Structure formats: structure tokens, C-alpha cells
Amino acid sequence: MRLSGKTDQRIFALNSIASKMMDLISSFRCFDHPPPSLSLIEDSNRFKSVQIRASSEEKPTPVEVGEMFADLKEKLRWDAIEDKSTVFLYGGGAIVAVWLSSMVVEAINSVPLLPKVMELVGLGYTGWFVYRYLRVKSSRKELASDIETLKKKIAGSE
């Protein structure tokens, strides 16, 4: 069965996107896990949808789900919380912060040229970040070590 010209173009575009994604993924060699393999799957007679499946050679270690939920339940019991007023204070502060940031974004979006300028600033920063940290293997390792240091500072183990 012959597919229409538009469908052929879409398949070609999706295949080129998938190959570019594989090139990008394979360039990140500083991670512990091997890069996932992506494959496009066509239905039997017609091209109905594209499915991307990620797989890895490394098998994940089994996690005891019941044990994990029991531990989580134990930590989050309302009776076990000693300072309930702090929970309410943090929860209320989070709600107010979300509401306030929503109002600020809404105010910025109402200014005619500002949203596009902010979008350009975000694009510029993203480009700089990719150029600075993701382009070269040594800078990717530097970024990974910076993230690990930050994790240790947040966890309090450093």
C-alpha cells in the first residue's frame, strides 16, 4: 500500500528526528547507564502512530514496593509530626508563593513586548548552558560534579 506524500514526509521527518536524538543521546557518555535505544514502530498496514520505546542493556535492581510505601507511610504519619504549625506555615507559604508568582507572570504577559524578550533571554541562556556544559565531555563531568556537590550540601552530608 502506498502512503500519501504528506505521510511519507512525516515518516522521513520523524526518522530524522529519531536519528538526531540518538546522536545527541550517544554524545552523553558521562552517565553511568548506557544510552537508551529508540525505535519507530509502524502498524501492520497503515502508519497510524509513532511509538518511541526506550530500552537499556542494564537491568534495574528490584525495589520492594511494599517496603518503600511502608517506610513512606511511617515518615508521613500526621501523628508522628511534632510541630504541626510549621507544616501549616510552610504549606500556606507555598500556596502564597505560587499565587504570587502566577500574578507576576500574568503581569509580565500583559506588557506587549516583554514576553518575547523574556523568551529570547531564556533561549539565549539555554544556548549558553548547552555550549558551556554539554558540548565537551570534560565540561559535562564538571557539571555532574557540581550537581553532586550541590546534592551533598542540600542533604547536609558535606
Side-chain angles (χ1 to χ4, degrees), residues 48-61:
K48 293 182 180 176
S49 65
V50 175
Q51 297 177 354
I52 298 177
R53 293 186 181 174
S55 65
S56 175
E57 299 296 323
E58 188 176 310
K59 300 289 183 202
T61 58

Side-chain angles (χ1 to χ4, degrees), residues 113-128:
L113 192 58
L114 204 53
K116 293 296 178 186
V117 170
M118 297 300 276
E119 192 173 322
L120 284 174
V121 167
L123 266 167
Y125 182 77
T126 302
W128 172 83

Side-chain angles (χ1 to χ4, degrees), residues 14 19 49 72 89-90 93 95 100 112 119 130 137 141 152:
L14 288 171
S19 68
S49 65
L72 189 62
L89 185 65
Y90 281 134
I95 290 171
L100 198 67
E119 192 173 322
V130 167
K137 185 176 183 177
K141 286 184 179 180
K152 288 178 182 176

